[in-house]
Amino acid sequence: MKRARGKHSTGAVDHHDTIEAALADALAGYGVTLTPRASGRFERFDTPDKPKGNGNGWYRIHGPQAASFGIWHLDVSEVVTLHGASDPEAAAQARLDAMRDRERQERERQQQAAKTADEARRWWADAGPGDPAHPWLAGKRLPPYNLRQRGEMLLVPLYFEGELVNLERIFPDGSKRPLKGGRVKGVASLIGRLAGAERVLVAEGWSTAAALHEAMGCPVVVARNADNLAPVARRLRQRLPDEVGITICGDDDRHLPAQGLANKGRVAARHAALAIDATLLMPSFCARCETCTDFADTRLCWLGGGRGQPYAYLA
Ligand SMILES: [Zn+2]
């Protein structure tokens, strides 16, 4: 990531009417395009050289005359003023303030996650077993396995380092949401038992994992989404004895490339498998079916409940 323009803090600069415009211009020098908000607080932004959601940049508009910004991984912190005056001391102070603000946010996030984990454990203790007649389960033709139920919500227990930290709620219409403010990164659920297993599978969603567990009998770890596959696979590899094989069972988001997007499921599954030298298993699709993307879908087709006819549900 290179600066495209000269430093604003060193002498002659373009004239700007507002501090927002001056800041936007300075940020553009780092390839960052945004419309600054004069909130008086620290605002975060993504830098273009890191993955989406990186939040590696920050800025703050102090008043109509001055703003500061920084980029953590480039060790950049600068003060922007309407008149382009340089002030290294103010830049250093702004960086320190930004660091404190980041630490405060992290503490708040952890406190909220701890509160949500308590709530998750209460809900889990109070919940009944999953009802096999729940509309979502019935539609998927799957038994509840490790799910519990609270009202009409199915609950998927989510663990981190052996502790229940969050719950994924599955609503009758199939929408899924974890509890608000709870930990989501690296969390996983388990269908079956790890003890004594010769092979453990890892899949994205609960229904995919349940379909695989039913067909193959081995324990299946639910990573919840594509981004979580690799972190979950790494933790599992560390935890399991070397002789236990791990297979990453991917989703095939084959509809995405037609929209100009990457096949996220396939890419993430391959990445996770490479990261821990695991076997990779992808679904093979049905004849006359363009809707299946995962093993739960192909199983449904195989059972006659879907639209196509699978060549083989699982070879
Ligand atoms: Zn199908």
Side-chain angles (χ1 to χ4, degrees):
M1 192 171 170
K2 272 189 197 152
R3 282 208 66 164
R5 308 180 197 187
K7 266 182 180 279
H8 283 271
S9 49
T10 55
V13 290
D14 310 332
H15 178 75
H16 297 102
D17 291 330
T18 64
I19 190 63
E20 286 92 338
L23 176 60
D25 198 35
L27 288 170
Y30 288 94
V32 176
T33 312
L34 58 77
T35 308
R37 299 196 306 150
S39 64
R41 290 196 307 264
F42 285 101
E43 303 286 349
R44 304 253 194 114
F45 60 84
D46 290 349
T47 58
D49 59 334
K50 296 269 173 183
K52 208 176 162 214
N54 63 72
N56 264 4
W58 57 269
Y59 71 84
R60 183 184 194 178
I61 294 183
H62 304 277
Q65 299 283 329
S68 52
F69 71 94
I71 296 170
W72 294 113
H73 67 287
L74 299 181
D75 206 25
V76 164
S77 61
E78 291 187 18
V79 167
V80 178
T81 67
L82 266 191
H83 309 294
S86 167
D87 189 345
E89 223 170 277
Q93 184 61 45
R95 183 188 161 80
L96 192 64
D97 291 346
M99 206 182 289
R100 286 191 184 128
D101 187 68
R102 188 165 71 159
E103 284 162 3
R104 182 183 57 75
Q105 280 187 11
E106 175 61 18
R107 272 199 308 278
E108 285 173 5
R109 205 186 54 71
Q110 284 176 7
Q111 282 164 3
Q112 180 56 51
K115 253 166 82 176
T116 301
D118 285 342
E119 187 181 31
R121 288 188 278 267
R122 278 198 305 276
W123 278 33
W124 188 245
D126 292 345
D131 178 1
H134 186 280
W136 184 76
L137 284 175
K140 296 271 185 187
R141 298 209 205 175
L142 288 166
Y145 289 126
N146 65 333
L147 303 184
R148 289 187 188 174
Q149 191 163 339
R150 177 186 174 97
E152 58 181 21
M153 288 179 282
L154 291 166
L155 304 177
V156 184
L158 300 174
Y159 294 87
F160 185 74
E161 291 177 344
E163 273 193 59
L164 182 73
V165 294
N166 203 345
L167 298 170
E168 179 155 72
R169 297 165 290 170
I170 304 177
F171 297 90
D173 67 356
S175 59
K176 300 176 190 171
R177 280 198 299 281
L179 294 178
K180 201 163 167 276
R183 184 180 180 102
V184 287
K185 200 181 171 197
V187 302
S189 201
L190 173 68
I191 301 177
R193 290 167 54 87
L194 292 180
E198 286 173 13
R199 177 155 295 276
V200 178
L201 313 184
V202 184
E204 280 192 34
W206 185 89
S207 61
T208 307
L212 289 161
H213 179 67
E214 189 200 47
M216 298 174 75
C218 43
V220 191
V221 172
V222 183
R224 283 191 65 240
N225 57 51
D227 291 334
N228 223 20
L229 273 178
V232 166
R234 281 201 190 90
R235 285 182 168 272
L236 189 66
R237 183 70 281 171
Q238 285 165 6
R239 182 173 165 188
L240 292 173
D242 289 348
E243 62 271 21
V244 180
I246 297 178
T247 300
I248 309 293
C249 304
D251 286 8
D252 193 335
D253 299 321
R254 57 182 170 153
H255 53 290
L256 293 181
Q259 301 164 30
L261 301 166
N263 186 327
K264 192 167 185 185
R266 187 175 270 278
V267 169
R270 191 158 174 274
H271 170 68
L274 284 172
I276 59 160
D277 199 19
T279 316
L280 177 64
L281 186 65
M282 296 298 294
S284 50
F285 288 121
C286 335
R288 294 188 292 283
C289 169
E290 275 154 29
T291 50
C292 282
T293 62
D294 60 41
F295 287 103
D297 295 338
T298 52
R299 172 180 170 276
L300 212 50
C301 277
W302 181 69
L303 290 172
R307 290 193 202 157
Q309 293 167 1
Y311 297 116
Y313 160 39
L314 272 173

